[in-house]
Amino acid sequence: FTFDGKVVICDGRSIFEMEPPSDEWCASLLGFGWLCHLRAADSAISRANARVLVDEWINLQGAWHPIGWRPDVLSRRIISWLTQATLVLQDADARFYHRFVRSLVRQVRYLRHTAGDARGVASLQAVIALNYAALCIAGQSRHVKSATERLRVELQRQILPDGGHAGRDPCAIIDILLELLPLSQVFASRNIAPPPALLNAIDRMMPMLRFFRHSDGTFAHFNGMGATPIEQLMTLLAYDENHGAPLSNAPYSAYQRIEANGGVLIMDTGGAPPIELSLEAHAGCLSFEFSTPKHSPLVVNCGMPPSGRDDWLHFARSTAAHSTVTFNDASSARFLESAAFRRVLGGAPMLGGPNQINVTREDKSDGIMLRASHDGYADSFDVIHERTVVVSHDGNKLEGEDFFISAKGGQIRSKLDAYVVRFHLHPSVKASRLTDGHGVMLMTASRDVWTFSAPDQRVELEDSVFLGGSEGPRRNTQIVIHGNARTTPRVVWTFQHTGASSMAAATRQRVRADEPRLPL
């Protein structure tokens, strides 16, 4: 049994008797989402295996379990059992059928009374599970009205007018749509009109799938987004009948998108979500990701790993894990790591951080300009960070400027004024410093050559780690510029597409002899 990067071999014992290697693995096992794989096998042995495994859980862990009866895991199990009921119950005898239904009704009853304890996406998934149960289980139809009302309230609370999620995690859009789309079909199959709130939420969320996609099809890594579930994303996009161009401005979700000739830049221009929805929110205000017109990711954020998230959570949420500016090695928001908050909320909420965020954009003759500023460092270091980016109309040039001004006006007075400008590069990008110390040569996965330059600054290359890949954490490189806000309050930088053929000779002449050369 392989879940979340961990493998357990049963050796003849029941999988539910084995010691789980991690809480994530245990949650995946007890959520029963893997039943869909047995259904896809479509054989007598897979149906028998599914029935035996469900029966084992009823026998061994039907009683309360700290993870198995958690609202998010319980919701996933109820939905899985209902959607895969034909797999589990086909060829089943009457005794097993009655035990299965009794267990299912018991779980639904428990969830109905504990759904209010869930937080964030788990709260919405619990309400969705209750709607499935009310529609699919005999004798539960009296709960349809109350379940749909709870769904309406939760959708209104969590799904923003532009279709984003209130927790600002792009992955939440995928997870929620994977539950809402089949639920709308269940309503139709019961000859019940789907609630308008459900249909409206789907209509708003579908365009956001395209908003967060880069030119290579992957999702941008903001606020808890990890590896892109490509198969799930393709399934959802098949339901997008409009196939329209993505939005350029998501004002409620607080993200901006620039697309030019296939090149895509996505920037985070938001602060902390509501406290109960901020348990995995990141301090990445004004960070951006950029993918080239040749469908190659260039600048990224570190993202979140598919497994072992708790081990990386503190680092991944920090400002330093994002392609933006940090002051004095501090994040632009703080995280409450106390045991009390973890016990009550189930995680460490994000507080403070940017309060006043200003955003303007303009279509200019030389490209599309986006200017944004935030005051996340104003209270601690008397600094307002303003970032301006311009993407050329052909997508082959990205110009930027980071500017630092005093929050109180005039010159920055704080002695704590050391900043670091970071640009995390995708692991597929090879980087070498140029001899002048002010630039870096970059080769993308598509063998395009780009040059990063900061004429007035010394540019360094440092190690980083990319967490947002499906294969887990990978070593990568970050471009780093160190400075002092009082003496150098302005940093100008450029990413320029050069082209492999025209840069080959220049690379041989300019790359340091003691550094690895690009395989041109």
Side-chain angles (χ1 to χ4, degrees), residues 13-55:
R13 298 172 58 190
S14 169
I15 186 61
F16 302 109
E17 296 178 322
M18 306 297 291
E19 184 69 23
S22 69
D23 287 352
E24 293 170 321
W25 184 94
C26 187
S28 295
L29 173 70
L30 300 183
F32 281 79
W34 41 267
L35 283 175
C36 64
H37 301 298
L38 293 177
R39 184 175 181 176
D42 193 25
S43 65
I45 188 64
S46 65
R47 292 191 291 272
N49 283 337
R51 192 159 52 250
V52 167
L53 289 167
V54 169
D55 200 31

mmCIF file of all heavy atoms in Angstrom, residues 13-55:
data_model
loop_
_atom_site.group_PDB
_atom_site.id
_atom_site.type_symbol
_atom_site.label_atom_id
_atom_site.label_comp_id
_atom_site.label_asym_id
_atom_site.label_seq_id
_atom_site.Cartn_x
_atom_site.Cartn_y
_atom_site.Cartn_z
ATOM 1 N N ARG A 13 -1.075 -9.762 6.959
ATOM 2 C CA ARG A 13 -1.905 -9.129 7.985
ATOM 3 C C ARG A 13 -2.849 -8.110 7.323
ATOM 4 O O ARG A 13 -2.657 -7.697 6.186
ATOM 5 C CB ARG A 13 -1.035 -8.425 9.014
ATOM 6 C CG ARG A 13 -0.109 -9.349 9.785
ATOM 7 C CD ARG A 13 0.853 -8.561 10.651
ATOM 8 N NE ARG A 13 0.146 -7.700 11.596
ATOM 9 C CZ ARG A 13 0.758 -6.776 12.331
ATOM 10 N NH1 ARG A 13 2.067 -6.572 12.200
ATOM 11 N NH2 ARG A 13 0.058 -6.032 13.172
ATOM 12 N N SER A 14 -3.855 -7.718 8.067
ATOM 13 C CA SER A 14 -4.744 -6.674 7.571
ATOM 14 C C SER A 14 -4.001 -5.345 7.542
ATOM 15 O O SER A 14 -3.267 -5.012 8.481
ATOM 16 C CB SER A 14 -5.982 -6.557 8.467
ATOM 17 O OG SER A 14 -6.710 -5.386 8.148
ATOM 18 N N ILE A 15 -4.208 -4.577 6.495
ATOM 19 C CA ILE A 15 -3.551 -3.281 6.386
ATOM 20 C C ILE A 15 -3.988 -2.357 7.516
ATOM 21 O O ILE A 15 -3.239 -1.481 7.955
ATOM 22 C CB ILE A 15 -3.840 -2.641 5.005
ATOM 23 C CG1 ILE A 15 -3.029 -1.352 4.821
ATOM 24 C CG2 ILE A 15 -5.332 -2.366 4.847
ATOM 25 C CD1 ILE A 15 -1.540 -1.553 4.875
ATOM 26 N N PHE A 16 -5.178 -2.580 8.050
ATOM 27 C CA PHE A 16 -5.688 -1.709 9.112
ATOM 28 C C PHE A 16 -5.113 -2.060 10.482
ATOM 29 O O PHE A 16 -5.352 -1.354 11.455
ATOM 30 C CB PHE A 16 -7.218 -1.773 9.147
ATOM 31 C CG PHE A 16 -7.842 -1.368 7.841
ATOM 32 C CD1 PHE A 16 -8.446 -2.313 7.026
ATOM 33 C CD2 PHE A 16 -7.812 -0.052 7.419
ATOM 34 C CE1 PHE A 16 -9.022 -1.957 5.817
ATOM 35 C CE2 PHE A 16 -8.384 0.321 6.209
ATOM 36 C CZ PHE A 16 -8.986 -0.633 5.409
ATOM 37 N N GLU A 17 -4.355 -3.159 10.549
ATOM 38 C CA GLU A 17 -3.656 -3.516 11.782
ATOM 39 C C GLU A 17 -2.209 -3.034 11.795
ATOM 40 O O GLU A 17 -1.553 -3.103 12.830
ATOM 41 C CB GLU A 17 -3.668 -5.041 11.980
ATOM 42 C CG GLU A 17 -5.040 -5.640 12.183
ATOM 43 C CD GLU A 17 -4.992 -7.154 12.320
ATOM 44 O OE1 GLU A 17 -4.191 -7.793 11.615
ATOM 45 O OE2 GLU A 17 -5.755 -7.682 13.137
ATOM 46 N N MET A 18 -1.739 -2.554 10.659
ATOM 47 C CA MET A 18 -0.344 -2.146 10.544
ATOM 48 C C MET A 18 -0.126 -0.778 11.175
ATOM 49 O O MET A 18 -1.027 0.076 11.185
ATOM 50 C CB MET A 18 0.076 -2.108 9.075
ATOM 51 C CG MET A 18 -0.188 -3.407 8.321
ATOM 52 S SD MET A 18 0.754 -4.801 8.963
ATOM 53 C CE MET A 18 2.409 -4.333 8.488
ATOM 54 N N GLU A 19 1.078 -0.546 11.667
ATOM 55 C CA GLU A 19 1.442 0.756 12.213
ATOM 56 C C GLU A 19 1.659 1.725 11.054
ATOM 57 O O GLU A 19 2.528 1.496 10.205
ATOM 58 C CB GLU A 19 2.715 0.650 13.050
ATOM 59 C CG GLU A 19 3.133 1.938 13.741
ATOM 60 C CD GLU A 19 2.189 2.335 14.853
ATOM 61 O OE1 GLU A 19 1.486 1.444 15.390
ATOM 62 O OE2 GLU A 19 2.156 3.537 15.188
ATOM 63 N N PRO A 20 0.904 2.800 10.979
ATOM 64 C CA PRO A 20 1.071 3.716 9.837
ATOM 65 C C PRO A 20 2.404 4.448 9.910
ATOM 66 O O PRO A 20 2.818 4.895 10.991
ATOM 67 C CB PRO A 20 -0.113 4.682 9.981
ATOM 68 C CG PRO A 20 -0.497 4.613 11.419
ATOM 69 C CD PRO A 20 -0.187 3.223 11.874
ATOM 70 N N PRO A 21 3.106 4.612 8.785
ATOM 71 C CA PRO A 21 4.402 5.312 8.790
ATOM 72 C C PRO A 21 4.277 6.813 8.970
ATOM 73 O O PRO A 21 5.249 7.483 9.302
ATOM 74 C CB PRO A 21 4.990 4.958 7.426
ATOM 75 C CG PRO A 21 3.802 4.673 6.565
ATOM 76 C CD PRO A 21 2.781 4.071 7.465
ATOM 77 N N SER A 22 3.104 7.377 8.710
ATOM 78 C CA SER A 22 2.890 8.813 8.899
ATOM 79 C C SER A 22 1.404 9.075 8.987
ATOM 80 O O SER A 22 0.577 8.259 8.562
ATOM 81 C CB SER A 22 3.497 9.625 7.746
ATOM 82 O OG SER A 22 2.766 9.414 6.544
ATOM 83 N N ASP A 23 1.048 10.230 9.550
ATOM 84 C CA ASP A 23 -0.365 10.609 9.624
ATOM 85 C C ASP A 23 -0.952 10.815 8.239
ATOM 86 O O ASP A 23 -2.133 10.514 7.999
ATOM 87 C CB ASP A 23 -0.523 11.890 10.452
ATOM 88 C CG ASP A 23 -0.307 11.650 11.940
ATOM 89 O OD1 ASP A 23 -0.186 10.471 12.348
ATOM 90 O OD2 ASP A 23 -0.231 12.638 12.695
ATOM 91 N N GLU A 24 -0.144 11.341 7.306
ATOM 92 C CA GLU A 24 -0.637 11.565 5.942
ATOM 93 C C GLU A 24 -0.986 10.237 5.286
ATOM 94 O O GLU A 24 -2.006 10.117 4.609
ATOM 95 C CB GLU A 24 0.425 12.303 5.122
ATOM 96 C CG GLU A 24 0.693 13.727 5.594
ATOM 97 C CD GLU A 24 1.915 14.310 4.919
ATOM 98 O OE1 GLU A 24 2.909 13.570 4.730
ATOM 99 O OE2 GLU A 24 1.889 15.498 4.575
ATOM 100 N N TRP A 25 -0.100 9.244 5.458
ATOM 101 C CA TRP A 25 -0.344 7.915 4.896
ATOM 102 C C TRP A 25 -1.630 7.331 5.478
ATOM 103 O O TRP A 25 -2.461 6.768 4.762
ATOM 104 C CB TRP A 25 0.848 7.014 5.201
ATOM 105 C CG TRP A 25 0.781 5.645 4.594
ATOM 106 C CD1 TRP A 25 1.318 5.231 3.417
ATOM 107 C CD2 TRP A 25 0.125 4.486 5.163
ATOM 108 N NE1 TRP A 25 1.047 3.904 3.199
ATOM 109 C CE2 TRP A 25 0.318 3.421 4.257
ATOM 110 C CE3 TRP A 25 -0.595 4.262 6.328
ATOM 111 C CZ2 TRP A 25 -0.188 2.153 4.488
ATOM 112 C CZ3 TRP A 25 -1.102 2.982 6.562
ATOM 113 C CH2 TRP A 25 -0.902 1.945 5.651
ATOM 114 N N CYS A 26 -1.774 7.466 6.798
ATOM 115 C CA CYS A 26 -2.957 6.928 7.475
ATOM 116 C C CYS A 26 -4.233 7.605 6.965
ATOM 117 O O CYS A 26 -5.245 6.940 6.734
ATOM 118 C CB CYS A 26 -2.810 7.131 8.984
ATOM 119 S SG CYS A 26 -4.108 6.351 9.970
ATOM 120 N N ALA A 27 -4.185 8.926 6.777
ATOM 121 C CA ALA A 27 -5.352 9.648 6.282
ATOM 122 C C ALA A 27 -5.725 9.185 4.880
ATOM 123 O O ALA A 27 -6.915 9.046 4.552
ATOM 124 C CB ALA A 27 -5.082 11.145 6.302
ATOM 125 N N SER A 28 -4.732 8.937 4.032
ATOM 126 C CA SER A 28 -5.017 8.458 2.679
ATOM 127 C C SER A 28 -5.626 7.062 2.708
ATOM 128 O O SER A 28 -6.562 6.757 1.951
ATOM 129 C CB SER A 28 -3.734 8.447 1.846
ATOM 130 O OG SER A 28 -3.247 9.752 1.654
ATOM 131 N N LEU A 29 -5.111 6.203 3.578
ATOM 132 C CA LEU A 29 -5.670 4.849 3.687
ATOM 133 C C LEU A 29 -7.111 4.900 4.168
ATOM 134 O O LEU A 29 -8.004 4.281 3.571
ATOM 135 C CB LEU A 29 -4.822 4.018 4.657
ATOM 136 C CG LEU A 29 -5.392 2.636 5.005
ATOM 137 C CD1 LEU A 29 -5.313 1.713 3.799
ATOM 138 C CD2 LEU A 29 -4.668 2.027 6.206
ATOM 139 N N LEU A 30 -7.363 5.626 5.242
ATOM 140 C CA LEU A 30 -8.686 5.611 5.870
ATOM 141 C C LEU A 30 -9.693 6.484 5.141
ATOM 142 O O LEU A 30 -10.882 6.430 5.437
ATOM 143 C CB LEU A 30 -8.565 6.056 7.328
ATOM 144 C CG LEU A 30 -7.662 5.177 8.207
ATOM 145 C CD1 LEU A 30 -7.665 5.669 9.633
ATOM 146 C CD2 LEU A 30 -8.100 3.720 8.140
ATOM 147 N N GLY A 31 -9.235 7.292 4.183
ATOM 148 C CA GLY A 31 -10.165 8.047 3.350
ATOM 149 C C GLY A 31 -10.760 7.227 2.229
ATOM 150 O O GLY A 31 -11.755 7.633 1.612
ATOM 151 N N PHE A 32 -10.164 6.066 1.919
ATOM 152 C CA PHE A 32 -10.677 5.121 0.919
ATOM 153 C C PHE A 32 -10.779 5.724 -0.481
ATOM 154 O O PHE A 32 -11.511 5.208 -1.322
ATOM 155 C CB PHE A 32 -12.045 4.562 1.333
ATOM 156 C CG PHE A 32 -11.958 3.460 2.365
ATOM 157 C CD1 PHE A 32 -11.751 3.764 3.704
ATOM 158 C CD2 PHE A 32 -12.058 2.133 1.999
ATOM 159 C CE1 PHE A 32 -11.668 2.770 4.666
ATOM 160 C CE2 PHE A 32 -11.979 1.125 2.953
ATOM 161 C CZ PHE A 32 -11.776 1.439 4.295
ATOM 162 N N GLY A 33 -10.032 6.787 -0.752
ATOM 163 C CA GLY A 33 -10.039 7.331 -2.102
ATOM 164 C C GLY A 33 -9.460 6.374 -3.123
ATOM 165 O O GLY A 33 -9.748 6.477 -4.319
ATOM 166 N N TRP A 34 -8.656 5.417 -2.642
ATOM 167 C CA TRP A 34 -8.030 4.432 -3.534
ATOM 168 C C TRP A 34 -9.023 3.406 -4.093
ATOM 169 O O TRP A 34 -8.663 2.602 -4.963
ATOM 170 C CB TRP A 34 -6.913 3.705 -2.779
ATOM 171 C CG TRP A 34 -7.266 3.368 -1.356
ATOM 172 C CD1 TRP A 34 -7.008 4.107 -0.244
ATOM 173 C CD2 TRP A 34 -7.972 2.201 -0.905
ATOM 174 N NE1 TRP A 34 -7.498 3.482 0.881
ATOM 175 C CE2 TRP A 34 -8.105 2.307 0.501
ATOM 176 C CE3 TRP A 34 -8.507 1.082 -1.548
ATOM 177 C CZ2 TRP A 34 -8.736 1.345 1.276
ATOM 178 C CZ3 TRP A 34 -9.143 0.112 -0.778
ATOM 179 C CH2 TRP A 34 -9.253 0.251 0.620
ATOM 180 N N LEU A 35 -10.258 3.408 -3.614
ATOM 181 C CA LEU A 35 -11.249 2.480 -4.186
ATOM 182 C C LEU A 35 -11.444 2.709 -5.679
ATOM 183 O O LEU A 35 -11.767 1.775 -6.417
ATOM 184 C CB LEU A 35 -12.590 2.644 -3.460
ATOM 185 C CG LEU A 35 -12.721 2.015 -2.059
ATOM 186 C CD1 LEU A 35 -14.060 2.381 -1.448
ATOM 187 C CD2 LEU A 35 -12.544 0.498 -2.119
ATOM 188 N N CYS A 36 -11.238 3.963 -6.128
ATOM 189 C CA CYS A 36 -11.434 4.248 -7.555
ATOM 190 C C CYS A 36 -10.442 3.478 -8.420
ATOM 191 O O CYS A 36 -10.740 3.137 -9.572
ATOM 192 C CB CYS A 36 -11.332 5.751 -7.815
ATOM 193 S SG CYS A 36 -9.703 6.461 -7.482
ATOM 194 N N HIS A 37 -9.260 3.164 -7.876
ATOM 195 C CA HIS A 37 -8.278 2.398 -8.648
ATOM 196 C C HIS A 37 -8.733 0.937 -8.799
ATOM 197 O O HIS A 37 -8.535 0.317 -9.852
ATOM 198 C CB HIS A 37 -6.912 2.462 -7.974
ATOM 199 C CG HIS A 37 -6.394 3.853 -7.822
ATOM 200 N ND1 HIS A 37 -6.129 4.660 -8.897
ATOM 201 C CD2 HIS A 37 -6.099 4.590 -6.716
ATOM 202 C CE1 HIS A 37 -5.688 5.840 -8.466
ATOM 203 N NE2 HIS A 37 -5.673 5.817 -7.150
ATOM 204 N N LEU A 38 -9.334 0.398 -7.741
ATOM 205 C CA LEU A 38 -9.857 -0.965 -7.845
ATOM 206 C C LEU A 38 -11.032 -1.010 -8.822
ATOM 207 O O LEU A 38 -11.193 -1.982 -9.568
ATOM 208 C CB LEU A 38 -10.296 -1.456 -6.467
ATOM 209 C CG LEU A 38 -9.165 -1.656 -5.447
ATOM 210 C CD1 LEU A 38 -9.724 -2.065 -4.091
ATOM 211 C CD2 LEU A 38 -8.174 -2.699 -5.940
ATOM 212 N N ARG A 39 -11.835 0.065 -8.832
ATOM 213 C CA ARG A 39 -12.945 0.102 -9.782
ATOM 214 C C ARG A 39 -12.411 0.189 -11.212
ATOM 215 O O ARG A 39 -12.979 -0.420 -12.130
ATOM 216 C CB ARG A 39 -13.845 1.288 -9.486
ATOM 217 C CG ARG A 39 -15.075 1.351 -10.378
ATOM 218 C CD ARG A 39 -16.010 2.468 -9.966
ATOM 219 N NE ARG A 39 -17.205 2.520 -10.788
ATOM 220 C CZ ARG A 39 -18.205 3.364 -10.586
ATOM 221 N NH1 ARG A 39 -18.140 4.227 -9.579
ATOM 222 N NH2 ARG A 39 -19.255 3.354 -11.365
ATOM 223 N N ALA A 40 -11.337 0.945 -11.402
ATOM 224 C CA ALA A 40 -10.763 1.073 -12.751
ATOM 225 C C ALA A 40 -10.229 -0.262 -13.254
ATOM 226 O O ALA A 40 -10.230 -0.526 -14.461
ATOM 227 C CB ALA A 40 -9.657 2.124 -12.748
ATOM 228 N N ALA A 41 -9.777 -1.139 -12.335
ATOM 229 C CA ALA A 41 -9.288 -2.455 -12.755
ATOM 230 C C ALA A 41 -10.417 -3.301 -13.343
ATOM 231 O O ALA A 41 -10.176 -4.136 -14.221
ATOM 232 C CB ALA A 41 -8.663 -3.177 -11.570
ATOM 233 N N ASP A 42 -11.639 -3.094 -12.844
ATOM 234 C CA ASP A 42 -12.849 -3.700 -13.425
ATOM 235 C C ASP A 42 -12.716 -5.216 -13.592
ATOM 236 O O ASP A 42 -12.846 -5.753 -14.684
ATOM 237 C CB ASP A 42 -13.165 -3.050 -14.773
ATOM 238 C CG ASP A 42 -14.562 -3.401 -15.262
ATOM 239 O OD1 ASP A 42 -15.412 -3.713 -14.403
ATOM 240 O OD2 ASP A 42 -14.799 -3.371 -16.483
ATOM 241 N N SER A 43 -12.440 -5.882 -12.475
ATOM 242 C CA SER A 43 -12.341 -7.339 -12.507
ATOM 243 C C SER A 43 -12.996 -7.905 -11.260
ATOM 244 O O SER A 43 -13.230 -7.205 -10.271
ATOM 245 C CB SER A 43 -10.870 -7.786 -12.557
ATOM 246 O OG SER A 43 -10.200 -7.421 -11.363
ATOM 247 N N ALA A 44 -13.303 -9.191 -11.307
ATOM 248 C CA ALA A 44 -13.935 -9.845 -10.159
ATOM 249 C C ALA A 44 -13.035 -9.797 -8.931
ATOM 250 O O ALA A 44 -13.509 -9.604 -7.810
ATOM 251 C CB ALA A 44 -14.290 -11.286 -10.518
ATOM 252 N N ILE A 45 -11.732 -9.973 -9.137
ATOM 253 C CA ILE A 45 -10.810 -9.968 -8.001
ATOM 254 C C ILE A 45 -10.699 -8.576 -7.380
ATOM 255 O O ILE A 45 -10.587 -8.439 -6.162
ATOM 256 C CB ILE A 45 -9.416 -10.497 -8.432
ATOM 257 C CG1 ILE A 45 -8.514 -10.690 -7.206
ATOM 258 C CG2 ILE A 45 -8.756 -9.549 -9.423
ATOM 259 C CD1 ILE A 45 -9.010 -11.734 -6.242
ATOM 260 N N SER A 46 -10.746 -7.515 -8.197
ATOM 261 C CA SER A 46 -10.682 -6.162 -7.640
ATOM 262 C C SER A 46 -11.938 -5.851 -6.843
ATOM 263 O O SER A 46 -11.875 -5.207 -5.786
ATOM 264 C CB SER A 46 -10.475 -5.133 -8.753
ATOM 265 O OG SER A 46 -11.585 -5.095 -9.627
ATOM 266 N N ARG A 47 -13.109 -6.330 -7.321
ATOM 267 C CA ARG A 47 -14.342 -6.120 -6.569
ATOM 268 C C ARG A 47 -14.308 -6.887 -5.251
ATOM 269 O O ARG A 47 -14.732 -6.377 -4.210
ATOM 270 C CB ARG A 47 -15.546 -6.534 -7.417
ATOM 271 C CG ARG A 47 -15.797 -5.631 -8.617
ATOM 272 C CD ARG A 47 -17.136 -5.929 -9.267
ATOM 273 N NE ARG A 47 -17.143 -7.234 -9.915
ATOM 274 C CZ ARG A 47 -16.764 -7.464 -11.169
ATOM 275 N NH1 ARG A 47 -16.338 -6.449 -11.911
ATOM 276 N NH2 ARG A 47 -16.820 -8.681 -11.683
ATOM 277 N N ALA A 48 -13.776 -8.098 -5.290
ATOM 278 C CA ALA A 48 -13.669 -8.886 -4.056
ATOM 279 C C ALA A 48 -12.702 -8.238 -3.077
ATOM 280 O O ALA A 48 -12.959 -8.196 -1.869
ATOM 281 C CB ALA A 48 -13.224 -10.311 -4.393
ATOM 282 N N ASN A 49 -11.588 -7.732 -3.587
ATOM 283 C CA ASN A 49 -10.621 -7.055 -2.721
ATOM 284 C C ASN A 49 -11.229 -5.821 -2.073
ATOM 285 O O ASN A 49 -11.020 -5.557 -0.883
ATOM 286 C CB ASN A 49 -9.379 -6.663 -3.529
ATOM 287 C CG ASN A 49 -8.467 -7.832 -3.798
ATOM 288 O OD1 ASN A 49 -8.494 -8.821 -3.072
ATOM 289 N ND2 ASN A 49 -7.661 -7.732 -4.848
ATOM 290 N N ALA A 50 -11.972 -5.041 -2.860
ATOM 291 C CA ALA A 50 -12.607 -3.845 -2.317
ATOM 292 C C ALA A 50 -13.565 -4.216 -1.193
ATOM 293 O O ALA A 50 -13.587 -3.585 -0.130
ATOM 294 C CB ALA A 50 -13.343 -3.098 -3.423
ATOM 295 N N ARG A 51 -14.352 -5.252 -1.417
ATOM 296 C CA ARG A 51 -15.332 -5.665 -0.417
ATOM 297 C C ARG A 51 -14.643 -6.163 0.855
ATOM 298 O O ARG A 51 -15.056 -5.836 1.979
ATOM 299 C CB ARG A 51 -16.223 -6.757 -1.012
ATOM 300 C CG ARG A 51 -17.452 -7.075 -0.209
ATOM 301 C CD ARG A 51 -18.508 -7.755 -1.069
ATOM 302 N NE ARG A 51 -17.985 -8.907 -1.802
ATOM 303 C CZ ARG A 51 -17.808 -8.930 -3.129
ATOM 304 N NH1 ARG A 51 -18.099 -7.866 -3.861
ATOM 305 N NH2 ARG A 51 -17.335 -10.009 -3.721
ATOM 306 N N VAL A 52 -13.580 -6.925 0.705
ATOM 307 C CA VAL A 52 -12.855 -7.451 1.864
ATOM 308 C C VAL A 52 -12.223 -6.316 2.666
ATOM 309 O O VAL A 52 -12.269 -6.304 3.901
ATOM 310 C CB VAL A 52 -11.781 -8.458 1.405
ATOM 311 C CG1 VAL A 52 -10.819 -8.778 2.548
ATOM 312 C CG2 VAL A 52 -12.443 -9.735 0.911
ATOM 313 N N LEU A 53 -11.624 -5.339 1.977
ATOM 314 C CA LEU A 53 -10.969 -4.238 2.678
ATOM 315 C C LEU A 53 -11.971 -3.372 3.431
ATOM 316 O O LEU A 53 -11.715 -2.946 4.559
ATOM 317 C CB LEU A 53 -10.172 -3.398 1.675
ATOM 318 C CG LEU A 53 -8.908 -4.077 1.135
ATOM 319 C CD1 LEU A 53 -8.367 -3.325 -0.071
ATOM 320 C CD2 LEU A 53 -7.846 -4.178 2.217
ATOM 321 N N VAL A 54 -13.120 -3.096 2.807
ATOM 322 C CA VAL A 54 -14.154 -2.337 3.508
ATOM 323 C C VAL A 54 -14.646 -3.118 4.720
ATOM 324 O O VAL A 54 -14.833 -2.560 5.817
ATOM 325 C CB VAL A 54 -15.319 -2.006 2.548
ATOM 326 C CG1 VAL A 54 -16.513 -1.454 3.324
ATOM 327 C CG2 VAL A 54 -14.869 -1.018 1.492
ATOM 328 N N ASP A 55 -14.832 -4.430 4.569
ATOM 329 C CA ASP A 55 -15.298 -5.262 5.672
ATOM 330 C C ASP A 55 -14.277 -5.288 6.806
ATOM 331 O O ASP A 55 -14.649 -5.256 7.987
ATOM 332 C CB ASP A 55 -15.573 -6.672 5.160
ATOM 333 C CG ASP A 55 -16.499 -7.451 6.083
ATOM 334 O OD1 ASP A 55 -17.357 -6.811 6.727
ATOM 335 O OD2 ASP A 55 -16.359 -8.681 6.171
#
